Structure formats: C-alpha cells, structure tokens
C-alpha cells in the first residue's frame, strides 16, 4: 500500500512512524568541526574601583613615607568603646586613653580604677545634659544615642554647634581644670545613655596614682600654649608700619615623632598546569587569562584595604575632629554641606552605592535636583560641583548604617595620597609584579603575584567622614 506524504512529514506504515531521510549535516555534528565565537572569562566581582583610579599615587623607592607636620598641642577626642551587659554599660578601661588628657597613658590598673568611677545616666529626648554657663565638673561618655551641642543664636533662637553620637565624649579637659564653665548646652536628641565621671571622683583616683596625676597635668599645661585655629604652635609676627616696634622672634616647630607609612602587600600564588598551558592556548592564552583575573581580584582587595585597613585605611585614619554624624539618620543636603564646609578644596566624595541612593531620595523629597559632572567621560552625580563616586568597599553595618568620605587629594594640596613603589622586578603594572616560582614534580607552574600599596593623610583636615548614615529604605 502506498501512502502519500507531504514534505517535512514522516510516513506512517502499519501504525509505525518511519524517520524522514536526512539530507544535510546537523548543527550538533557541525559544531564538532567549528570554532565557536566566545568571550574572555568574565568576573562578576570586578567593580569600578574609583578610589584606586582617582587617588594620586606617589612612588616611594625606600618603601616608607614619612609625613612631617608642624608641632600641634591639641589632642583630639576619640571614640570610646563600651562593655554592655543587658541594660548595664561600662567603659572599657583601655578605651579611656581616647580622652584628650589621657592620650598615651597606658597604666591598666589606674585606668581600671578610673573606669569604675563612671556613673550611668539615662536621658529622654529633649532633656538637658549640661547647661551653658554652669560649672563644668563632669566628663561625659555617650554610650548610646544622639546629642546636640547648642548655643544661643546671635539674634534669637538657638544654634547647633556640634552633634555627638555613640562613642563620643565631651568635658574631657575638666580633668585638668574643674573651675571652668560649660561653653555650650548639651541636649539629648534621642533616648541617650551616658557615663559621667565627677571631677571629685577623678581626684580620688589621681590621689592614689601619681603617674595619672602627672600625665594629666603635663598634657593640660601643653594645651594652654598659644596655638592657631588648627591647634599648631603659633608663629609670632608683627604687622603694621607705624613707629619702630621691636619685632618678635619666632621659629616653626615640627613634630618630634612624625608618622611613617610602610607599604603593605597583597599576594597570592597562581598555579597553572603545564598541560593546560601547552594544549589549550588557542584562541586565548590560558595563562594570560588566569593572570588577568587574578590581578583583578588583587586590585579589588587593594581598594578594600585602602578603605578598611586598621593601620592605614581611610576610615580608621580620619581624625576624630573630622567626623560628624547625620542630622536625622539618612544623608541629607544639610549633612553634605556640613561635610564640605570642614575643609578647603574637597575634590571627591566616596560613598557606598546604597548611600548615594539614599542621598538621592532625600534630595527628591526636598525637590532638589542632584547635578552631575564629567569624570573621565562618565556622568557622575555631584553636590556643589564635587563628584560623588561609588565605592562598594565602604561597609554597611548590621544596623544598615554606613559612612561617606570626603577628601582633598594630592601632595601639592596637602591632601590624601596613595603610596606605591615602581620599578619592581618582573613588574607588569605600576606597583604590581609577577614572579616565576618554578615547576613542581606534578608539572604545575607557579607564579607569585604581588601588589604593594598604602595611603597617607598629609594633614588632618584633608579627609572627613559623615558617620552613621542610614541606608535602609524608609517609609
């Protein structure tokens, strides 16, 4: 029996389907003889790395960079850490060295005795902690909450002259002189927990430990020397042209023990089997691709270290006087204005992408248009003409808060600089080299990949941080 079929259909015979005859080569078979068009190996962990790109890099052949500064007598307040046990809070004794007149005092027994004298106090929002004009006879440590320092405005109302948050302190200079008066009023903005040290309690401990009393008296005397507004030893001079006055003599004093930055290193050993390097190098060189991705990962680690390293990282080396909290939680235009006003010539602002988004939302709420500037051919959001560059290496805490960094850059501008060394053996990029380590008994080739780097802050006001920036979505 003959069954007619149309092209593209199988013929049915006796209830069975007969396969249509194949007239050309299938694509599955053809791929065995063809070279596919392929991409290079991709890596999702590559970021824009704006910090590495915009830092001015200074070559230091000696491996160490010394930052010489004028002698400064001001000792800034630091962040204090607490030990919390339920609702009870106690300052960690060693953290008392962050107070201005206890900086550098390393006597655990005396500090422990002093820590025991702090009294925990609670304040409700709007409650006054200290009042301007009253006797200053307490040292206050803020364990939790936000506090405003206010003074009367020139004509009417009040002016906010400072904001304090977790870990901040005020009244530290009371230890040297309890006869002064508060120059501001401290008011709790949120529910606030503080630890207070009465001056009489300090005197009791100082009477037992001679070293403590001597240390405070010495630093207190240094703080009374004439300084300029930056806290540096003043340079005496005379201006004017009347009469024949005697000109003052002066000299510029330097820090005796300036800060030195040594280069840090990020390293790894890249291993490639000789079989792979010999047989699978077309159309792409396997060793080169392995090396390219390894260098990308090293550069990502380098930028993370520049931000977070406890020794030279920007977040940990910013002067405490250059740190401010936000007005209300999320980053606002007012916060950015305060941050920019703390230094001359701010060149860049670096923030986590979520912090940039939070700032954009606050601008939208106020009907403010966020401008943009051209940076290396990219349209970058900007505030007051300062580009806001994304940096995903700035961490976000478990409380969904982050930090925003503003900096001035360059040696000639007394700013922030990157440090590296060029001319390394087997160098393939500035400050990065790849050294052949040999082939082992398993026929595996090893390469040592290293990059050397650090950062230096030339003067304290070269960098500032907006802290406790809320980045979580808000209703």
């Amino acid at each position: 029996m003959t069954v007619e079929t149309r092209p593209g259909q199988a013929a049915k015979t006796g209830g069975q389907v007969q396969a249509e005859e194949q007239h050309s080569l299938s694509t599955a078979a053809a791929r065995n003889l063809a070279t596919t068009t392929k991409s290079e190996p991709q890596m999702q962990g590559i970021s824009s790395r704006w910090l590495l790109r915009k830092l001015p890099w200074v070559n230091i052949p000696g491996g160490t960079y010394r930052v010489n500064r004028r002698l400064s007598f001001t000792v800034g307040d630091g962040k204090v850490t607490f030990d919390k046990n339920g609702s009870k809070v106690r300052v960690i004794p060693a953290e008392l060295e962050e107070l201005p007149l206890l900086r550098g005092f390393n006597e655990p027994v005396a500090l422990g005795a002093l820590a025991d004298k702090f009294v925990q106090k609670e304040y409700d929002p709007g409650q006054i902690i200290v009042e301007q004009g009253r006797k200053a006879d307490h040292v206050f440590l803020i364990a939790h909450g936000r506090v405003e320092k206010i003074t009367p405005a020139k004509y009417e109302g009040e002016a906010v002259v400072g904001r304090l948050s977790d870990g901040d302190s005020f009244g530290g200079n009371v230890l040297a002189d309890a006869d002064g008066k508060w120059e501001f009023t401290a008011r709790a903005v949120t529910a606030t927990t503080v630890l207070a040290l009465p001056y009489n309690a300090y005197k009791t401990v100082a009477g037992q430990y001679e070293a403590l009393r001597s240390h405070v008296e010495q630093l207190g005397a240094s703080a009374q020397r004439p300084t300029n507004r930056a806290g540096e030893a003043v340079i005496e001079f005379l201006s004017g042209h009347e009469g024949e006055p005697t000109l003052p003599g002066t000299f510029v004093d330097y820090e005796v023990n300036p800060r030195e930055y040594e280069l840090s290193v990020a390293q790894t050993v890249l291993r490639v089997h000789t079989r792979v390097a010999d047989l699978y190098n077309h159309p792409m060189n396997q060793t080169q691709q392995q090396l390219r991705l390894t260098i990308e990962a090293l550069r990502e680690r380098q930028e993370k270290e520049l931000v977070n390293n406890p020794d030279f990282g920007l977040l940990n080396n910013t002067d405490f006087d250059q740190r401010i909290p936000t007005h209300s939680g999320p980053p606002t235009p007012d916060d950015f204005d305060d941050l920019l006003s703390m230094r001359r010539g701010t060149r860049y602002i670096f923030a986590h992408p979520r912090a940039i988004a939070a700032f954009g939302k606050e601008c939208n709420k106020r009907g403010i248009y966020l401008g943009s500037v051209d940076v290396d051919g990219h349209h970058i959001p900007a505030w007051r003409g300062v580009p806001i560059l994304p940096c995903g290496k700035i961490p976000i805490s478990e409380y969904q808060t982050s930090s925003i960094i503003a900096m001035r850059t360059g040696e000639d501008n007394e700013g922030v600089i990157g440090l590296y060394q060029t001319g390394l053996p087997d160098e393939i990029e500035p400050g990065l080299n790849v050294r052949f380590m040999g082939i082992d008994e398993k026929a595996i080739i090893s390469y040592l990949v290293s990059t050397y780097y650090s950062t230096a802050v030339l003067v304290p006001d070269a960098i500032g941080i907006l802290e406790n920036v809320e980045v979580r979505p808000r209703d």
Side-chain angles (χ1 to χ4, degrees), residues 86-282:
S87 61
K88 300 296 183 181
V89 180
R90 183 178 185 270
V91 62
I92 297 175
E95 292 293 314
L96 291 177
E97 290 187 59
E98 299 297 339
L99 294 178
L101 296 184
L102 295 179
R103 188 67 59 87
F105 181 72
N106 187 16
E107 295 288 344
V109 177
L111 292 177
L114 201 60
D116 292 335
K117 296 296 184 180
F118 280 85
V119 179
Q120 181 174 339
K121 296 184 178 182
E122 307 288 338
Y123 293 90
D124 295 325
Q127 193 171 357
I128 300 299
I129 301 175
V130 301
E131 188 172 352
Q132 184 178 10
R134 295 289 183 89
K135 185 177 181 180
D137 58 357
H138 280 72
V139 178
F140 291 93
L141 312 178
I142 302 175
H144 178 73
R146 185 176 285 121
V147 175
E148 287 182 338
K149 297 164 66 175
I150 56 178
T151 60
K154 182 176 181 179
Y155 298 107
E156 61 180 11
E158 61 187 26
V160 178
V161 296
R163 291 178 177 86
L164 307 172
S165 59
D166 298 10
D168 287 326
S169 63
F170 62 95
N173 290 322
V174 166
L175 300 183
D177 180 16
D179 296 330
K181 298 183 182 299
W182 292 113
E183 298 177 352
F184 56 85
T185 295
R187 182 176 61 197
V189 179
T190 64
T192 303
T193 300
V194 304
L195 295 183
L197 174 68
Y199 178 74
N200 290 335
Y202 158 72
K203 291 294 289 184
T204 300
V205 177
Q208 300 172 356
Y209 300 95
E210 173 64 26
L212 173 61
R213 183 171 64 255
S214 299
H215 184 87
V216 170
E217 290 176 353
Q218 181 179 359
L219 286 187
S222 298
Q224 301 302 318
R225 300 182 188 180
T227 61
N228 61 17
R229 64 180 182 178
E232 299 168 332
V234 70
I235 299 177
E236 300 287 353
F237 59 89
L238 183 66
S239 59
H241 57 82
E242 293 184 2
E244 297 179 349
T246 302
L247 298 179
T250 189
F251 67 97
V252 181
D253 206 354
Y254 302 136
E255 287 185 351
V256 178
N257 299 306
R259 172 81 183 269
E260 292 186 348
Y261 294 86
E262 295 183 354
L263 290 182
S264 182
V265 61
Q267 293 179 306
T268 189
V269 176
L270 173 63
R271 295 184 175 92
V272 181
H273 201 287
T274 53
R275 178 173 62 249
V276 173
D278 291 343
L279 302 179
Y280 299 97
N281 272 344
H282 185 78

Side-chain angles (χ1 to χ4, degrees), residues 48-60:
S48 55
R49 298 200 293 268
W50 280 107
L51 180 61
L52 290 187
R53 293 159 62 180
K54 305 316 294 181
L55 269 183
W57 291 90
V58 176
N59 180 33
I60 51 172

